[in-house]
Amino acid sequence: MSDPSLRPGRLGIGVIGAGKVGAVLGAALRAAGHAVVGVHAVSEESRTRAEALLPDTPVLPIPQIVERSEVVLLAVPDDALEPLVTGLAAGGHFSAGQILIHTSGRYGVEVLRDARSAGAIGIAMHPAMTFTGLSLDLARLQTTTFGITAPGPFLPIAQALAVEMGGEPVVIAEGDRPLYHAALSHASNHMVTLVGQASQILTGIGVEDPSHVLGPLLKATLENALASGDSALTGPVVRGDAGTVEAHREILAGFAAEERAEDIDAAYLAMARATADRARSRGALSEEGHARILRALDLEGGPEDEAGVVGQ
């Protein structure tokens, strides 16, 4: 196989993993003019997704996809990535000059070392987006950042592919990949948990459509936070309103016990403490106000105990 990085034109792309990410990225690359030569889909759900997003694309075994592709897109779970690459390399399936791209946020190119030893070009390309696996994701890619890691000479290939899919490439150093991924997971996954908890509380008091209540508030909060960072913080914690925080703590503890939703109480305590600490560190909350908030959050501890916590 000749080196595709040395010539212009469209590429033959094989997609291994027709999950929500793989099928969408494959469709985006095909929309950019590349040929998707094969897709690996095992479950009925993934086959249905492949038929919808990659119509007329043959469903093939993994070795056959690798052998006929100039670019292999590995959109598989993190824990499956290294064993898959190791097994394919041991079977002699990779070719010199072949481009191997994985979509894991956690890993850089080191996880592809066995393929690179066979002469393949290793690239990590992680879309910082949550996927539904539906065609609407293609429009979302137009505002998506791709965390790119690749050897210097091949960075332009990764960047060009990200731009062709409508995204914006951002280079992430190999050693920074785990922290990069942790930041995104912390923001995205825990936001879903917080929204779910708030919705459960509102439903519990008879609000029929919690999303109608939370939607405008959360959208405005997110926009303000992205624009202003911690300076966008409002509410009783940053104001030092210990009485309100204590009332929230008590009522949420009662709700959690009644509804067997202890995660709500635990999350509120953890996030309120973290919010107080960050507000104090930037000078928005005084030491005295910080101590009052901590006392309000730890109702079983006395002032002396909380003073010890503050002083640590």
Side-chain angles (χ1 to χ4, degrees):
M1 179 178 296
S2 60
D3 185 349
S5 69
L6 300 180
R7 68 177 191 273
R10 302 297 84 186
L11 300 169
I13 296 176
V15 178
I16 297 178
K20 295 177 181 180
V21 177
V24 170
L25 295 188
L29 289 167
R30 185 159 77 168
H34 299 288
V36 179
V37 299
V39 59
H40 181 69
V42 177
S43 68
E44 181 178 349
E45 183 180 4
S46 63
R47 286 176 175 268
T48 299
R49 188 180 296 112
E51 290 173 2
L53 291 171
L54 299 168
D56 302 321
T57 300
V59 177
L60 301 171
I62 290 177
Q64 192 172 347
I65 290 175
V66 175
E67 290 168 4
R68 64 165 54 187
S69 301
E70 294 172 296
V71 177
V72 180
L73 181 66
L74 297 172
V76 298
D78 288 356
D79 290 347
L81 180 58
E82 187 168 10
L84 175 61
V85 173
T86 299
L88 288 170
H93 295 290
F94 295 118
S95 303
Q98 191 172 37
I99 301 174
L100 189 61
I101 300 173
H102 77 72
T103 61
S104 170
R106 171 186 172 189
Y107 292 113
V109 297
E110 177 61 22
V111 72
L112 305 176
R113 58 187 173 277
D114 289 343
R116 296 169 67 196
S117 296
I121 299 166
I123 292 173
M125 180 181 294
H126 174 256
M129 176 57 64
T130 181
F131 287 79
T132 65
L134 303 174
S135 58
L136 63 87
D137 290 339
L138 294 171
R140 289 178 174 173
L141 286 179
Q142 303 304 309
T143 58
T144 294
T145 295
F146 283 76
I148 302 295
T149 304
F154 304 112
L155 266 177
I157 298 175
Q159 292 168 324
L161 289 172
V163 169
E164 284 188 331
M165 287 187 282
E168 179 180 350
V170 172
V171 178
I172 307 296
E174 178 80 18
D176 291 336
R177 295 289 296 198
L179 196 55
Y180 155 81
H181 192 232
L184 299 186
S185 297
H186 181 40
S188 177
N189 300 160
H190 296 166
M191 179 184 292
V192 174
T193 299
L194 288 171
V195 172
Q197 291 174 342
S199 297
Q200 181 180 355
I201 295 168
L202 292 175
T203 299
I205 62 172
V207 176
E208 294 183 359
D209 186 3
S211 64
H212 185 71
V213 177
L214 293 171
L217 171 65
L218 295 179
K219 289 176 183 177
T221 300
L222 179 58
E223 290 175 359
N224 291 343
L226 292 175
S228 304
D230 286 346
S231 297
L233 185 63
T234 63
V237 171
V238 73
R239 291 195 301 264
D241 289 341
T244 299
V245 171
E246 183 173 337
H248 288 172
R249 169 70 174 88
E250 289 179 331
I251 197 67
L252 287 174
F255 178 87
E258 183 177 341
E259 299 294 328
R260 297 184 178 179
E262 289 79 6
D263 61 298
I264 293 178
D265 186 34
Y268 176 78
L269 280 173
M271 292 306 298
R273 287 176 183 270
T275 299
D277 290 345
R278 292 183 71 87
R280 180 183 61 171
S281 68
R282 68 180 183 85
L285 185 63
S286 68
E287 290 290 341
E288 181 183 356
H290 182 264
R292 287 199 307 270
I293 294 298
L294 290 189
R295 284 195 293 271
L297 290 172
D298 190 1
L299 300 181
E300 295 182 358
E304 292 182 2
D305 294 333
E306 286 300 342
V309 171
V310 174
Q312 290 177 356

